[in-house]
C-alpha cells in the first residue's frame, strides 16, 4: 500500500471498516464527513442515540459482547456526557474508543460557543487520552487507539479531533489507511507464562486440601472458560467467580459455588472464607470481589494469574505470581496437572457442595414463592429456567446486580454474562449495544425501575434500528436498594416521609414501550412470567417486560 492524497474522513471510515467495526454510537453532529464516507464506502451502521452517556454504554455493551472495540462519538458540547459514560467501561476493563470534537488553535480561549477544555475529564477514565491536530496523524493515532484499547488489561481510549465537530476530517493529506488486524479484538497477544511458575502454582494447588479458584473478568476477556473448568475438574477445585467473571463457569456445574464478594451468593463467600489456598485468575481482587478484602482474609495462601504485572500481588501477598494470558496459562497448568491428586480433595468438594445445597434450601421458598407482588428471587429463578442457552445476559447494578449475581444461574457454557461495574442505568443501553454486536444471539438486559428511567428514551433508538433485545424491568416503584441506608441514616427506622428520597411513581413501562413501537409485556403474577418470557424471546421487535415486584424485598447482604 502506498500513501495517496485523501481526506481524513475517508481514511477514518476505511480504517474503522477494516478493523471490523460494524456499528458506531453517537449523538450528532461530530465527524459529519466521516459519516458520509461510512455510508458511501462501508457497511457500518451509525446508531444515533438520545444521549452521549447511552452511546458510550452501547459501545461498552458492544465491546464486552464481542471483544472488539466499541466506538462512541460526540461533538464538543457532548464530550463530558460521553466521558461520564466511559467510567463503567474503565472500571470493567472494556475496550471502548471515544471520538470527540475539540478546540481550534485559532479560536481557543476566546469564549467559543459551547467550548471548554474537555481533555482533562477523559484522563481518569481512559488508558490513552490524546488529541489529533493534524490530518496526517489520522492513521497512526487510530492504530494507537485500537492497540491501546485491546492490549494488556483492556480499557477505554479517547481521541479528540480538531474542530468542535471534528471538522479536521475534511482536510487532506498523503495517507495510507493501514490497519493491524491483531488489534481488532481482545486479546491481541497471548503471552506465555514462565513454565516454572506454572509448575509451582500446580504444585501448591495439588498439595492443598481446601483450595478454591476465584475467576474474574480476565477469564472472559481471554476466552479461558473451557480451560478453567477443565483444570478445576482435573484437580477437583471449587470455583467462585467475581461478578465480572460470572460466565467463567455455568452455575449448574458441580464445582461452581457462585459469585463471591459483596454482591454475592452466601455459598461462595463461605467456601472462599474456609479455603486454605485461593487461586485468583484474571481478577484485581478488588473491594467488590473480596467484600472489602474480608473474603478471603488477607494473609491466606494465594496464587494469582494475570496479564498485567501491576495486578500481581496488589491486594493479597502471593506465594506464586504468574504473568500471562489466562487461557494460555491454564492450558499449561492443565498439561502439568496430576489427576491422581484429586482424591485428596474429595471431602472438601463434598463440603462445598453441601454448602451450595444449604444455600438452595435457605432460599427455596422465596425462589418458588407465588406471592403478589412478586418476589425478585422468584423472577431470578424463572430467568434461570427460561433464558435461552446461547443468550447474553446484561445486568444493572444495585439490587439488580445483587439479585442476578446471587440468585440467577447460567445453565450453559454458551451463555454470556455482563454486568454494570457500578453505574445505575448502564444495563439497558449496554444490552442494546450487545445486541448490535451479536444480532443472532438472544440478549436479555435486567434492570430495576430506577435504572431503567435513566435512558428510557433509548426504547426509541431500539425500535428505530430494530435492536431486538429483551429488557426485564424489576419494577418496584423505587430504588429500594437505598432503603437500608436510609433506615441507618434515620437511626434505625426511617420516617414515612423519608421514602420520598428513594421511591417513584409506579409506572406501567409496558404501556410506554408499546407507545414507542416496542413490545411491552406487563407481568403482575408469578405464573404469568414463563409465558411472558416465551413471548419475549420470539418477538421480532425490542421487548420490555415490566415485572411488578415487592418493594419491601431486600437482597441478602454479604456474609464475611
Ligand atoms: C450513577 C449511579 N448513581 C447512583 C447509584 C446508587 N444506587 C445504587 S442502586 C440505586 C437504586 C436502584 O433502584 P432500582 O434500579 O429501581 O433497583 P431496586 O433497588 O429498586 O431493585 C441507586 C440510586 C449508582 N449505583 N449509580
Ligand atoms: Mg426499583
Amino acid at each position: 500500500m502506498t500513501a495517496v492524497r485523501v481526506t481524513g474522513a475517508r481514511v477514518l471510515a476505511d480504517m474503522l471498516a477494516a478493523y471490523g467495526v460494524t456499528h458506531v454510537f453517537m449523538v450528532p453532529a461530530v465527524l459529519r464527513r466521516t459519516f458520509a464516507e461510512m455510508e458511501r464506502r462501508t457497511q457500518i451502521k451509525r446508531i444515533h442515540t438520545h444521549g452521549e452517556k447511552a452511546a458510550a454504554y452501547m459501545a461498552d455493551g458492544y465491546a464486552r459482547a464481542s471483544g472488539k472495540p466499541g466506538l462512541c462519538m460526540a461533538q464538543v458540547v457532548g464530550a463530558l456526557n460521553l466521558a461520564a459514560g466511559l467510567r463503567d467501561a474503565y472500571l470493567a476493563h472494556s475496550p471502548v474508543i471515544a471520538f470527540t470534537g475539540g478546540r481550534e488553535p485559532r479560536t481557543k480561549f476566546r469564549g467559543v460557543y459551547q467550548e471548554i477544555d474537555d481533555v482533562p475529564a477523559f484522563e481518569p477514565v481512559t488508558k490513552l487520552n490524546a488529541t489529533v491536530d493534524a490530518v496526517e496523524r489520522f492513521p497512526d493515532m487510530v492504530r494507537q487507539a485500537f492497540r491501546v484499547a485491546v492490549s494488556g488489561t483492556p480499557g477505554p481510549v479517547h481521541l479528540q479531533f480538531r474542530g468542535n465537530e471534528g471538522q479536521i476530517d475534511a482536510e487532506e493529506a498523503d495517507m495510507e489507511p493501514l490497519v493491524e488486524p491483531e488489534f481488532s479484538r481482545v486479546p491481541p497477544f497471548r503471552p506465555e507464562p514462565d513454565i516454572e511458575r506454572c509448575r509451582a502454582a500446580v504444585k501448591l494447588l495439588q498439595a492443598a486440601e481446601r483450595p478454591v479458584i476465584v475467576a474474574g473478568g480476565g477469564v472472559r476477556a481471554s476466552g479461558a472458560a473451557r480451560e478453567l473448568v477443565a483444570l478445576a475438574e482435573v484437580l477437583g477445585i471449587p470455583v467462585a467467580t467475581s461478578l465480572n467473571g460470572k460466565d467463567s463457569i455455568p452455575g449448574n456445574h458441580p464445582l461452581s459455588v457462585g459469585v463471591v464478594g459483596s454482591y454475592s451468593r452466601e455459598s461462595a463467600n463461605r467456601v472462599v472464607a474456609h479455603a486454605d489456598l485461593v487461586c485468583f485468575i484474571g481478577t484485581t481482587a478488588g473491594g467488590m470481589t473480596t467484600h472489602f478484602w474480608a473474603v478471603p482474609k488477607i494473609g491466606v495462601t494465594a496464587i494469582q494469574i494475570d496479564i498485567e504485572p501491576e495486578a500481581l500481588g496488589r491486594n493479597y501477598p502471593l506465594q506464586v505470581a504468574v504473568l500471562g494470558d489466562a487461557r494460555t496459562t491454564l492450558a499449561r497448568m492443565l498439561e502439568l496437572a496430576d489427576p491422581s491428586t484429586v482424591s485428596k480433595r474429595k471431602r472438601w468438594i463434598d463440603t462445598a457442595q453441601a454448602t451450595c445445597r444449604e444455600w438452595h434450601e435457605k432460599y427455596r421458598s422465596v425462589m418458588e414463592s407465588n406471592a403478589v407482588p412478586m418476589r425478585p428471587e422468584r423472577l431470578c429463578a424463572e430467568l434461570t429456567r427460561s433464558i435461552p442457552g446461547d443468550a447474553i445476559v446484561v445486568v444493572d447494578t444495585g439490587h439488580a446486580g445483587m439479585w442476578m449475581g446471587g440468585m440467577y444461574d447460567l445453565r450453559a457454557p454458551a451463555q454470556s454474562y455482563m454486568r454494570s461495574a457500578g453505574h445505575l442505568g448502564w444495563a439497558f443501553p449496554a444490552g442494546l449495544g450487545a445486541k448490535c454486536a451479536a444480532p443472532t444471539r438472544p440478549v436479555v438486559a435486567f434492570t430495576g425501575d430506577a435504572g431503567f428511567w435513566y435512558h428510557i428514551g433509548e426504547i426509541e433508538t431500539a425500535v428505530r434500528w430494530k435492536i431486538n433485545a429483551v429488557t426485564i424491568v424489576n419494577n418496584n416503584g423505587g430504588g429500594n436498594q437505598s432503603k437500608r441506608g436510609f433506615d441507618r441514616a434515620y437511626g434505625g427506622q426511617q420516617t414515612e416521609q423519608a421514602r420520598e428520597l428513594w421511591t417513584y411513581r409506579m409506572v406501567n413501562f409496558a404501556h410506554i414501550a408499546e407507545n414507542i413501537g416496542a413490545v411491552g409485556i406487563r407481568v403482575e403474577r408469578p405464573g404469568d412470567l414463563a409465558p411472558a418470557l416465551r413471548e419475549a424471546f420470539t418477538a421480532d421487535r425490542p421487548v420490555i417486560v415490566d415485572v411488578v415486584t415487592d418493594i419491601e424485598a431486600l437482597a441478602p447482604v454479604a456474609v464475611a
Side-chain angles (χ1 to χ4, degrees):
M1 220 187 274
T2 47
V4 284
R5 191 146 189 92
V6 279
T7 61
R10 203 166 132 172
V11 165
L12 199 49
D14 287 354
M15 286 183 77
L16 293 186
Y19 271 108
V21 172
T22 58
H23 296 70
V24 297
F25 305 91
M26 45 73 208
V27 175
V30 56
L31 298 166
R32 291 183 204 248
R33 285 166 196 77
T34 302
F35 282 106
E37 294 294 355
M38 275 184 200
E39 184 178 317
R40 293 187 196 110
R41 304 173 63 82
T42 79
Q43 302 291 315
I44 297 172
K45 293 204 166 79
R46 303 155 299 172
I47 312 290
H48 74 283
T49 70
H50 293 282
E52 294 83 2
K53 179 149 60 70
Y57 288 171
M58 288 183 200
D60 185 4
Y62 177 99
R64 293 196 219 178
S66 64
K68 299 191 300 184
L71 270 289
C72 56
M73 306 179 187
Q75 64 170 280
V76 79
V77 74
L80 295 203
N81 299 346
L82 200 68
L86 292 185
R87 194 177 145 136
D88 211 83
Y90 186 80
L91 294 171
H93 312 300
S94 171
V96 175
I97 297 176
F99 291 164
T100 63
R103 310 167 95 182
E104 267 289 349
R106 278 189 290 264
T107 55
K108 63 184 182 183
F109 310 121
R110 297 187 66 190
V112 177
Y113 178 53
Q114 298 177 323
E115 187 175 288
I116 61 164
D117 181 5
D118 298 311
V119 173
F122 284 87
E123 202 57 30
V125 293
T126 52
K127 291 175 70 185
L128 169 69
N129 179 25
T131 59
V132 182
D133 308 306
V135 72
E136 52 269 36
R137 299 298 305 277
F138 273 43
D140 81 278
M141 291 305 283
V142 171
R143 280 197 296 276
Q144 188 64 0
F146 277 82
R147 193 179 295 118
V148 173
V150 299
S151 294
T153 301
V157 168
H158 171 230
L159 295 185
Q160 187 195 66
F161 289 85
R162 175 163 53 72
N164 65 331
E165 297 177 358
Q167 291 90 333
I168 186 177
D169 71 347
E171 297 176 15
E172 287 186 340
D174 291 335
M175 288 184 280
E176 200 180 336
L178 175 78
V179 307
E180 300 156 319
E182 62 268 42
F183 297 108
S184 62
R185 61 168 54 248
V186 174
F189 300 107
R190 295 191 176 277
E192 282 282 346
D194 174 344
I195 204 71
E196 284 315 312
R197 286 175 183 257
C198 290
R199 213 183 297 281
V202 169
K203 200 171 154 200
L204 212 55
L205 286 166
Q206 290 180 164
E209 280 173 14
R210 300 190 312 281
V212 69
I213 289 170
V214 175
V219 173
R220 81 183 305 274
S222 169
R226 190 151 21 105
E227 288 74 9
L228 172 86
V229 173
L231 185 72
E233 286 171 354
V234 164
L235 292 181
I237 304 175
V239 179
T241 75
S242 70
L243 271 182
N244 202 17
K246 186 171 165 83
D247 58 8
S248 307
I249 183 166
N252 56 4
H253 190 284
L255 290 170
S256 164
V257 296
V259 172
V260 66
S262 297
Y263 293 180
S264 59
R265 182 177 291 187
E266 187 174 333
S267 51
N269 282 22
R270 284 175 59 194
V271 169
V272 172
H274 288 105
D276 62 356
L277 170 65
V278 179
C279 179
F280 295 106
I281 308 175
T283 168
T284 55
M288 171 60 80
T289 301
T290 61
H291 199 37
F292 290 84
W293 307 284
V295 185
K297 288 200 164 52
I298 288 175
V300 68
T301 307
I303 298 169
Q304 192 176 359
I305 299 164
D306 209 279
I307 198 162
E308 185 63 57
E310 293 169 15
L312 294 168
R314 170 72 183 85
N315 285 318
Y316 286 84
L318 303 175
Q319 256 61 38
V320 183
V322 190
L323 179 66
D325 167 59
R327 193 168 94 185
T328 310
T329 303
L330 287 162
R332 296 293 159 270
M333 288 170 69
L334 207 50
E335 289 159 12
L336 297 167
D338 174 2
S340 73
T341 66
V342 73
S343 56
K344 195 170 184 173
R345 287 172 288 279
K346 183 166 180 331
R347 266 190 56 194
W348 172 234
I349 294 170
D350 289 346
T351 307
Q353 290 176 343
T355 308
C356 292
R357 277 195 303 277
E358 279 166 34
W359 178 85
H360 277 284
E361 280 314 313
K362 184 168 171 183
Y363 288 98
R364 183 183 301 281
S365 64
V366 269
M367 292 179 94
E368 292 176 358
S369 166
N370 284 315
V372 177
M374 222 178 296
R375 293 289 310 190
E377 297 91 334
R378 171 70 193 265
L379 169 56
C380 292
E382 209 63 55
L383 292 172
T384 298
R385 283 189 286 274
S386 299
I387 287 178
D390 59 342
I392 301 174
V393 181
V394 184
V395 179
D396 219 54
T397 191
H399 265 167
M402 295 171 83
W403 291 127
M404 288 293 276
M407 302 279 170
Y408 165 78
D409 272 322
L410 295 152
R411 286 181 294 111
Q415 288 176 324
S416 307
Y417 189 94
M418 302 154 25
R419 59 80 173 108
S420 163
H423 293 86
L424 194 65
W426 174 86
F428 172 49
L432 299 181
K435 185 69 184 176
C436 291
T440 60
R441 293 178 67 185
V443 170
V444 187
F446 183 101
T447 174
D449 52 313
F452 191 54
W453 278 119
Y454 267 82
H455 305 106
I456 196 165
E458 304 306 337
I459 296 175
E460 193 277 333
T461 306
V463 171
R464 186 165 26 91
W465 280 98
K466 301 183 172 50
I467 308 171
N468 297 343
V470 174
T471 301
I472 315 277
V473 186
N474 173 34
N475 184 5
N476 52 18
N480 83 325
Q481 199 198 30
S482 302
K483 183 176 181 300
R484 281 195 186 100
F486 284 114
D487 278 342
R488 276 197 300 273
Y490 278 81
Q493 175 98 47
Q494 61 190 287
T495 59
E496 202 41 47
Q497 199 183 343
R499 291 172 81 92
E500 70 191 24
L501 294 166
W502 56 274
T503 56
Y504 302 108
R505 284 173 61 85
M506 174 51 91
V507 163
N508 186 324
F509 291 115
H511 283 167
I512 296 175
E514 286 285 340
N515 193 270
I516 299 175
V519 176
I521 308 173
R522 175 101 159 169
V523 182
E524 291 173 346
R525 289 189 310 274
D528 296 340
L529 262 176
L533 293 169
R534 267 197 301 279
E535 184 187 341
F537 293 127
T538 50
D540 60 357
R541 279 185 285 156
V543 182
I544 308 300
V545 187
D546 180 21
V547 185
V548 181
T549 65
D550 186 354
I551 195 164
E552 299 305 325
L554 299 180
V557 291
V559 298

